[in-house]
Structures are given as C-alpha cells and as structure tokens.
Amino acid sequence: NNALAFSITKNAYVNEDFAEPISCLLLPGDYHFVAVIHKTNDASEAAAAIASTSQATITTSKLLSVFAVNQPVTILANQPNTVSIDLGPCITSKFQIKTTDETPANVASCEVILNPSSSATAAYLFNPTTGLAESTYLYRTEFVLSNMSISTFKNNPLGVNCLLSEASQLISVTVNMKDASGNIVRTRTFSDVPMKPHRITRATGSFFHSAANSSFTLSTTLDPTYEFEF
C-alpha cells in the first residue's frame, strides 16, 4: 500500500559489510523491493534517496553508472525468505568522443556537454521502475590532460554518463577543446545523437583537422579550329 516497511543505505567507502546480505524483519505479504546502486565520485556523496516506486534522487557533482529496479516480492509466513534482487543492466547511457588526429600542443582539456540547452542540476530525479529521468538534464564533464594518465586525447575515448527521459532519445552534444587558460581552441556540436539506456554512443573522427587530397586533371585535346576569312 505504498507504506515504507524497511529502508537501508550503504556506502562502499565506509561500510565494511557493504557486500554482505541485507537482513530485515517483515510481516508476510506482498511488497515492492526498490533498489538503487550507483557509483560516486568520492566518499562524501550520499546514496540515492528513494521516495517511492516511481521516484528516486541521486545528488552528485557528476553522474556515474546507475542501476535500479522495482521488484515485486511475496514474503511467506513461518519460513526464512531469501530474495535475490536482479538489477539488470545499468539504466544510464554514455556518450563518448574519440578523436583520431593529433592533439595540438596548446590543448589542455576537453569539455563535453550533453543537452547544452537544458538546465544543469546536482539532483537527478528518475523513476527506478522505468529507469527514465523526470527531465532532460544538462550533463557536463571536463577532462584535464594533466590530471589523467594519458598525454594526448588521440584514440582515448572520453565518456559522459546521463539519464534519458525516453527509452530512445536524440540529444545534442557540444565538445570544447580548451587551452590552459580555459579559452576554447576548437569546438564542435553534434545534433540528433541517438542514445539508449545501457548503451555507449561513440563519435569517432578527426576533431581538429580534416585531411584533404587533391589531384589535377587536364586535357590537351583542343576543340576544332574555328576559322574565318578576312
């Protein structure tokens, strides 16, 4: 009847029993077990807040992989009930940019923005039953070369996770390559990028330069001579 019977949160950073089974006492009857498991950027970020079978919130500075499920469960009387919760594949979708040309020496970071015309948020509301977000949010991540274990963006995919508001959604993506002062060296916008939950959509190509090959063709054959008398 949508009344909360039991709730628990665990953090892998601080709970030594994070991987241990969760136990609780419940009256016999029918229940919905709603679970959300997600990665966090650091130990200070809280676990998702589950308000109901249709609404949960993740508060984070950068959205990472998210798994969620609403699983009907019947608890039987006078016996132990062991429940295995199947969260299935992740509900998040990921966009990746993979550049195939050399990264210019003055490029220090790459900023990837999904849904640039939407509003930014640090509280992502979604439906744990469907895995879909309540709104189309802006997602922004900046990859700084000096903070990474790579020296170039070439052939190194850079990915940003997002929640979709539809099972299949076309989004816009802006990619900014910046110098050490934050000035944009090169920018590209991709429109109608097809995204789906638990799938990577990867854009691959020459970001900074486009190679061009040319050749010359000519004919030494002249048209018939035009003559006139004088």
Side-chain angles (χ1 to χ4, degrees):
N1 298 320
N2 293 317
L4 180 62
F6 174 80
S7 178
I8 189 172
T9 62
K10 284 190 175 186
N11 187 327
Y13 289 100
V14 297
N15 296 115
E16 294 182 359
D17 65 341
F18 180 79
E20 297 298 318
I22 295 171
S23 297
C24 64
L25 294 175
L26 296 173
L27 293 173
D30 295 326
Y31 294 85
H32 286 274
F33 281 22
V34 183
V36 177
I37 298 177
H38 62 99
K39 290 184 177 181
T40 59
N41 296 283
D42 53 58
S44 67
E45 291 190 343
I50 301 173
S52 66
T53 58
S54 61
Q55 188 179 82
T57 305
I58 293 177
T59 303
T60 180
S61 59
K62 181 177 70 174
L63 190 74
L64 301 174
S65 297
V66 181
F67 297 78
V69 69
N70 170 16
Q71 182 170 312
V73 175
T74 298
I75 300 298
L76 303 177
N78 303 318
Q79 67 179 63
N81 291 263
T82 301
V83 179
S84 178
I85 300 177
D86 182 6
L87 286 99
C90 65
I91 63 173
T92 42
S93 180
K94 178 179 283 188
F95 171 83
Q96 285 184 340
I97 178 75
K98 180 181 177 182
T99 60
T100 56
D101 50 352
E102 297 295 338
T103 303
N106 63 330
V107 170
S109 67
C110 176
E111 178 185 50
V112 182
I113 306 172
L114 311 187
N115 304 317
S117 62
S118 299
S119 299
T121 185
Y124 299 95
L125 275 68
F126 65 97
N127 186 327
T129 299
T130 64
L132 300 178
E134 292 197 359
S135 299
T136 298
Y137 300 113
L138 180 148
Y139 302 84
R140 175 190 173 277
T141 301
E142 187 159 359
F143 302 89
V144 182
L145 269 176
S146 60
N147 297 336
M148 304 172 71
S149 59
I150 56 177
S151 58
T152 177
F153 290 131
K154 181 182 179 181
N155 293 326
N156 287 298
L158 306 174
V160 177
N161 289 285
C162 68
L163 291 167
L164 303 178
S165 58
E166 301 176 28
S168 180
Q169 189 173 357
L170 299 177
I171 70 169
S172 295
V173 180
T174 297
V175 180
N176 298 320
M177 294 291 182
K178 300 180 179 180
D179 61 20
S181 299
N183 301 309
I184 296 177
V185 176
R186 183 82 163 91
T187 184
R188 282 180 179 266
T189 297
F190 305 94
S191 301
D192 295 331
V193 178
M195 304 286 283
K196 286 187 177 182
H198 48 85
R199 190 183 76 178
I200 294 175
T201 297
R202 180 182 298 161
T204 302
S206 178
F207 190 90
F208 301 98
H209 309 288
S210 295
N213 296 316
S214 62
S215 60
F216 298 96
T217 301
L218 55 88
S219 173
T220 58
T221 302
L222 302 178
D223 289 344
T225 302
Y226 175 80
E227 295 188 21
F228 66 96
E229 296 182 355
F230 62 92

